[in-house]
Amino acid sequence: MKALALPLALLLGAAAFALNKGNAGPDEVEIKFDLPPPKPLSPAEELATFRLEKGFRIELVASEPMIETPVAISFDDQGRMFVVEMRGYMRDLTGSTEKEPSGRVSLLTDTDGDGRMDRATPFVDQVVMPRSVLAVNGGALIAVPPELILCRDTRGTGRADSRTVVASDFGTAGGQPEHMANTPVWALDNTVYAAGYGTGLRLKAGAWQRGPGLGRGQWGLCQDDFGRLFFNYNSDLLRADLLPAPAYARNPLLRNAAGLNHQVMIDQTVYPSHPTPGVNRGYDPKTLRADGTLAKATATCGAAIYRGDAYPADYRGNAFVPEPSVNLIKRLLLTEQDGVIKATDGAKNREFLTSTDERFRPVQVVNGPDGCLYVVDMYRGVVQHSAFLTHYLVANIKARQLEQPVNQGRIWRIVPEGGRKVGRTTIPADAAGRVKLLAHADGWVRDTAQRLLVETGDTAVGPALRTLATDAQAPALGRLHALWTLDGLGLVDAALIRATLRDAHPQVRAAAARLAPPDALPDLATLTQEKDQLVLTHVAMRLSAMNQPAADAALADLLTRHGDAALLREAALTGIRGRETALAKAIASRAADAPAQAALESLATLIAAANKAGPFEEMLALAASLGANRDAQAALLRGLASDGNTGKGKNAKAAAPKLLWLAKEPAALAALPNQKMLAAVTARLAWPGKPGAPAQPKVAALSPAQTALAAKGKVTFDTLCAACHQPHGFGLDGLAPPLVDSDWVLGKPDALVRIVAQGLGGPVKVSGRTWDLTMPPLPQLSDEDIAGVLTYIRREWEHTASPVDPKFVHDIRAQDAGRTHGWTADELRPPTRITTKK
């Protein structure tokens, strides 16, 4: 094969469609590898292009014209399949049809039980760019940005006739399709999480309650048998939260946490079965191998952890990861030690499933009700969104005639060979039958039975569930699901936890620790002698959240022995905010060996991250009081001298620590040994008369009108902003950057006005860290509303920046009256900080 050098103008003529002008690659492109335009294939022809791992075959479940441009599926308890059809996506290279109400969610039924869908009904029709679906609560949660809607068919027609908005912040209308909330999943803990969405939803007494969510992942979300959430990013095959994300919401100072967004697969190598020059960065010499195949993943999405019972046992718990840009699905083997999960390739130098059809675009893999994996095949030439198209990829699309067709799509099923018959498990209507299915070998069956039991709210099943949860002869996964079902029904008590804390399986003991009520503290404290590291980690997390003296004493004992275990130590810090110095004192009184030193340094690092003068001085005084305990003292000083980063990004460049103003020179400094670390700590402090200290800032008091404006702004903040940026202002990892001590907040207010009024998209650097997220516009706010909320965040959290006047907001909005799209950080330019906090 030879390379083709074709000027872009020859391919596109006078084309005027949108490219990502800031990152579109070189203007002059060379199309690598002289490949003929691939013809669109029928489902039967496409089937012949698949190369599958030995022992499996692939079957067609549904195709066009029944469905078109499928991007997500979900099975209900009757085995029917909801299919999201994003029919408005990239029908041309400009994405010109994405605002049209052409999307739908179809309900597919296999009426004769042969494994192939033979009836389709438009469950929801004429919506704009639907992106996700979850069968739940007698209907389906359907994502149509900015709403997540519960749609139900109350008449039995197969069409939704009831719609209830569950969330109105699920993405942005007209937002970037590749970077918005998607894939809601009912997890083991009875919370519906979604990729890229910082809110979790729980169904209680028929109402959806909001709480901390995930806020991570790009496209796709799934869980393993123990409820741990897995997700990925386009160039990152698989990541996971090792510990429950809601626990971390208690302590926003745990930045770059090791237990969140953990990179499960380090090696991003992929092995396509044919040359794949048509990838977005194919012009980069490092992107393609000499044979024209993509070297590293660039479009991964929609992963699944196999939890069925139809495949050989070796496949249980494997991850299956689609890479649609190069027409393959990768299998990963997962291993675990002390709660940390790692992945390796399932086979050497080859993939589980590949195709030579360039239009095979697997975007999601899902566990089905028959124990098999189902593959959502978008089937089209163009999958990259116009906002990210490079000149190189456009040239390939044009030269190889990949723009059409755009009205196809398939669903495939992967079944085991060897004559084994696979079939769907029927979910019974009676509660007793559903309780029995909690112990079923198939994960989809267990999940569905649990969800249905929780949805009914029928507490009469409590005794049967308690029997299963404490039955040592029942499968461990059955006991685990019974325990979480009891939690979903509000039936967990100390007696149940006392029994399940003694379970033989560590995952059941870990769940029991996580669910322990306050009156189970004596039983939980005895588990500090536990041998399993994962169980100890969950014990530490629960003890720290109890906020009781006896719990903190048990936590100090635990950290004294195991403080050098990073995941356990981090779990202990999730609920300790405001009690860091007291816990450090308790640990220092017990020991000063390596585990205790690690815990002490982390506690002091949290104080450094808080940037508050009072707690900092208290921890400094504790260090001085330790006297001869030099090791513990040094650990505290290391933490106080740090940049406040407790997690995996400790070596990343951080913003300069804030100068903390004290009323006078702290007496503790004289009692500490003169060493390099002490000099670093002292450099963070200032007091009147300190040699070399800058002038102490003078802060003008707010007028009564400005005070009232800020108070009104707090109401606006609590209503519209706190869900993402959080009431404490430290933001939420993966969802919203911190406002506390942010140069954007404390700088010139014109940029803030523009961000609130018209939104901000793309990468933005905040406090030394880059966030690549979208802040939706809030055009419904009045000039006074915007002035109030900006005044509030510029004076809250010990901020001392100037207030913002409504007339100033009016003038900025008037300047931008003709603007119809959001801003980028490059356009706004990070403002210079104009004040120093006291």
Side-chain angles (χ1 to χ4, degrees):
M1 293 178 289
K2 65 179 182 178
L4 284 177
L6 297 177
L8 183 66
L10 292 179
L11 291 167
L12 305 185
F17 56 84
L19 285 170
N20 175 22
K21 296 178 176 59
N23 195 22
D27 293 339
E28 294 294 326
V29 298
E30 177 184 344
I31 298 180
K32 300 180 179 180
F33 304 95
D34 186 2
L35 301 175
K39 75 166 187 172
L41 302 181
S42 68
E45 290 171 326
E46 184 187 10
L47 183 64
T49 71
F50 291 129
R51 184 180 302 166
L52 197 59
E53 199 165 292
K54 186 177 180 181
F56 296 90
R57 70 179 188 276
I58 190 166
E59 301 175 342
L60 184 68
V61 175
S63 68
E64 71 281 352
M66 180 179 285
I67 56 171
E68 178 184 324
T69 317
V71 296
I73 63 173
S74 180
F75 289 94
D76 71 1
D77 57 284
Q78 301 174 51
R80 300 178 301 178
M81 180 194 295
F82 291 101
V83 181
V84 179
E85 298 171 72
M86 196 185 281
R87 298 194 293 173
Y89 181 80
M90 292 299 291
R91 298 182 75 87
D92 54 44
L93 291 179
T94 68
S96 65
T97 62
E98 291 183 357
K99 295 182 180 180
E100 298 176 2
S102 59
R104 72 183 175 199
V105 177
S106 293
L107 181 59
L108 274 55
T109 307
D110 173 14
T111 61
D112 56 11
D114 65 353
R116 188 160 180 167
M117 300 296 172
D118 43 45
R119 186 174 69 199
T121 306
F123 184 71
V124 172
D125 206 356
Q126 297 180 348
V127 290
V128 178
M129 296 289 281
R131 53 193 293 107
S132 301
V133 64
L134 171 65
V136 70
N137 200 24
L141 282 174
I142 296 174
V144 183
E147 295 178 334
L148 184 65
I149 310 167
L150 178 61
C151 301
R152 286 188 173 122
D153 166 22
T154 65
R155 302 188 184 112
T157 64
R159 297 172 181 264
D161 51 65
S162 168
R163 301 189 186 190
T164 303
V165 175
V166 173
S168 57
D169 59 349
F170 205 80
T172 305
Q176 216 299 310
E178 294 185 25
H179 295 278
M180 286 196 293
N182 63 86
T183 319
V185 170
W186 183 297
L188 183 65
D189 67 356
N190 304 300
T191 300
V192 174
Y193 298 98
Y197 188 53
T199 301
L201 301 167
R202 283 178 70 103
L203 185 63
K204 289 192 174 182
W208 292 95
Q209 299 182 355
R210 295 168 66 94
L214 184 69
R216 283 172 292 286
Q218 186 165 341
W219 185 276
L221 182 67
C222 62
Q223 66 174 340
D224 67 3
D225 279 340
F226 310 118
R228 290 174 294 202
L229 299 176
F230 290 77
F231 43 90
N232 50 26
Y233 303 90
N234 54 17
S235 298
D236 199 329
L237 286 162
L238 195 64
R239 288 185 175 247
D241 279 358
L242 303 176
L243 296 174
Y248 286 82
R250 297 192 292 259
N251 196 341
L253 300 178
L254 280 170
R255 301 170 186 167
N256 296 310
L260 301 182
N261 205 28
H262 167 70
Q263 190 174 37
V264 178
M265 182 63 172
I266 303 299
D267 184 3
Q268 308 302 323
T269 305
V270 292
Y271 300 97
S273 59
H274 67 107
T276 56
V279 292
N280 210 27
R281 307 288 169 193
Y283 58 82
D284 189 325
K286 300 186 294 293
T287 299
L288 301 176
R289 299 184 180 92
D291 63 359
T293 58
L294 182 71
K296 302 287 185 181
T298 187
T300 55
C301 56
I305 305 299
Y306 178 65
R307 302 176 57 218
D309 61 347
Y311 298 176
D314 289 348
Y315 289 82
R316 184 80 183 225
N318 289 189
F320 291 81
V321 186
E323 217 301 1
S325 73
V326 289
N327 328 116
L328 62 82
I329 295 175
K330 175 179 280 289
R331 180 169 71 94
L332 301 177
L333 304 178
L334 305 187
T335 57
E336 179 180 348
Q337 183 173 0
D338 295 337
V340 178
I341 304 170
K342 295 183 179 179
T344 55
D345 268 321
K348 186 176 181 180
N349 299 341
R350 57 186 174 86
E351 305 296 0
F352 176 77
L353 170 64
T354 61
S355 172
T356 55
D357 184 358
E358 197 163 348
R359 287 180 172 82
F360 172 56
R361 304 295 192 182
V363 294
Q364 187 185 36
V365 178
V366 171
N367 285 280
D370 53 6
C372 295
L373 290 175
Y374 286 71
V375 178
V376 179
D377 176 7
M378 205 172 178
Y379 203 80
R380 52 178 23 243
V382 179
V383 288
Q384 182 70 67
H385 190 259
S386 61
F388 301 103
L389 282 171
T390 60
H391 296 303
Y392 170 85
L393 183 53
V394 171
N396 273 272
I397 291 168
K398 288 285 188 177
R400 306 193 53 240
Q401 303 172 22
L402 292 171
E403 291 175 86
Q404 296 294 329
V406 292
N407 61 348
Q408 297 179 300
R410 291 96 194 246
I411 308 293
W412 303 93
R413 178 174 72 158
I414 299 173
V415 298
E417 289 184 324
R420 179 180 176 181
K421 185 178 180 180
V422 295
R424 175 176 67 88
T425 298
T426 300
I427 308 295
D430 64 292
R434 291 172 176 177
V435 171
K436 289 181 181 178
L437 288 185
L438 295 177
H440 197 278
D442 183 89
W444 182 91
V445 173
R446 293 195 308 274
D447 290 351
T448 303
Q450 176 180 325
R451 174 178 61 79
L452 293 170
L453 288 165
V454 172
E455 285 175 353
T456 65
D458 183 6
T459 57
V461 299
L465 289 170
R466 293 177 78 95
T467 297
L468 176 57
T470 56
D471 182 0
Q473 303 306 311
L477 289 174
R479 301 196 300 271
L480 183 64
H481 275 273
L483 185 57
W484 279 111
T485 306
L486 286 162
D487 170 67
L489 293 170
L491 297 176
V492 169
D493 55 31
L496 175 68
I497 295 303
R498 187 176 302 115
T500 49
L501 283 174
R502 298 192 295 267
D503 195 279
H505 198 285
Q507 287 287 356
V508 178
R509 298 199 301 278
R514 185 174 162 188
L515 292 171
D519 55 347
L521 174 57
D523 304 287
L524 190 63
T526 63
L527 223 61
T528 58
Q529 305 299 320
E530 164 79 39
K531 301 299 182 183
D532 188 274
Q533 195 74 23
L534 175 68
V535 178
L536 284 174
T537 298
H538 281 273
V539 169
M541 181 172 284
R542 187 68 189 105
L543 287 172
S544 76
M546 285 186 167
N547 195 12
Q548 296 182 22
D552 285 354
L555 186 61
D557 289 339
L558 190 57
L559 288 171
T560 298
R561 295 192 302 275
H562 301 285
D564 53 349
L567 202 59
L568 183 151
R569 183 174 68 250
E570 190 172 278
L573 300 179
T574 57
I576 206 65
R577 192 172 180 217
R579 311 195 308 280
E580 296 93 345
T581 301
L583 183 60
K585 184 176 181 179
I587 294 170
S589 70
R590 286 164 165 77
D593 54 5
Q597 290 175 44
L600 291 171
E601 182 176 347
S602 289
L603 288 165
T605 298
L606 288 179
I607 296 297
N611 281 331
K612 305 299 179 188
F616 196 99
E617 194 169 6
E618 289 177 5
M619 190 67 83
L620 189 65
L622 174 61
S625 72
L626 294 179
N629 192 344
R630 297 300 190 196
D631 289 337
Q633 194 175 70
L636 291 177
L637 291 177
R638 284 194 302 272
L640 290 175
S642 73
D643 62 10
N645 196 332
T646 59
K648 54 201 172 192
K650 292 185 81 169
N651 295 323
K653 184 179 180 181
K658 186 184 78 172
L659 190 64
L660 303 178
W661 277 92
L662 309 179
K664 61 180 180 179
E665 181 178 3
L669 292 178
L672 289 164
N674 189 9
Q675 52 171 289
K676 182 178 179 181
M677 203 62 66
L678 180 61
V681 172
T682 305
R684 292 206 57 185
L685 305 175
W687 55 85
K690 178 184 179 182
Q696 189 167 1
K698 294 183 177 12
V699 182
L702 295 180
S703 70
Q706 291 167 340
T707 301
L709 185 66
K712 182 178 179 181
K714 182 182 187 304
V715 175
T716 302
F717 181 86
D718 291 343
T719 304
L720 297 178
C721 313
C724 295
H725 292 287
Q726 301 294 292
H728 44 61
F730 283 99
L732 195 62
D733 192 43
L735 180 65
L739 303 177
V740 176
D741 297 331
S742 164
D743 283 342
W744 288 90
V745 172
L746 301 176
K748 296 178 180 179
D750 55 337
L752 287 175
V753 172
R754 291 184 165 107
I755 291 171
V756 173
Q758 292 156 325
L760 178 71
V764 57
K765 196 168 188 179
V766 181
S767 301
R769 177 180 172 186
T770 298
W771 300 70
D772 193 358
L773 301 166
T774 298
M775 159 77 183
L778 300 170
Q780 73 274 24
L781 296 183
S782 68
D783 296 341
E784 185 178 3
D785 291 335
I786 294 178
V789 75
L790 296 185
T791 297
Y792 170 73
I793 66 173
R794 286 163 67 84
R795 296 305 284 255
E796 183 66 1
W797 311 303
E798 298 184 6
H799 289 170
T800 59
S802 60
V804 178
D805 188 79
K807 185 179 184 305
F808 177 83
V809 176
H810 174 81
D811 292 345
I812 294 295
R813 295 177 95 171
Q815 294 174 24
D816 303 330
R819 190 177 183 93
T820 59
H821 55 281
W823 297 87
T824 67
D826 288 341
E827 289 175 312
L828 293 173
R829 296 180 177 274
T832 303
R833 185 169 175 168
I834 60 174
T835 186
T836 304
K837 282 178 56 181
K838 185 174 181 179

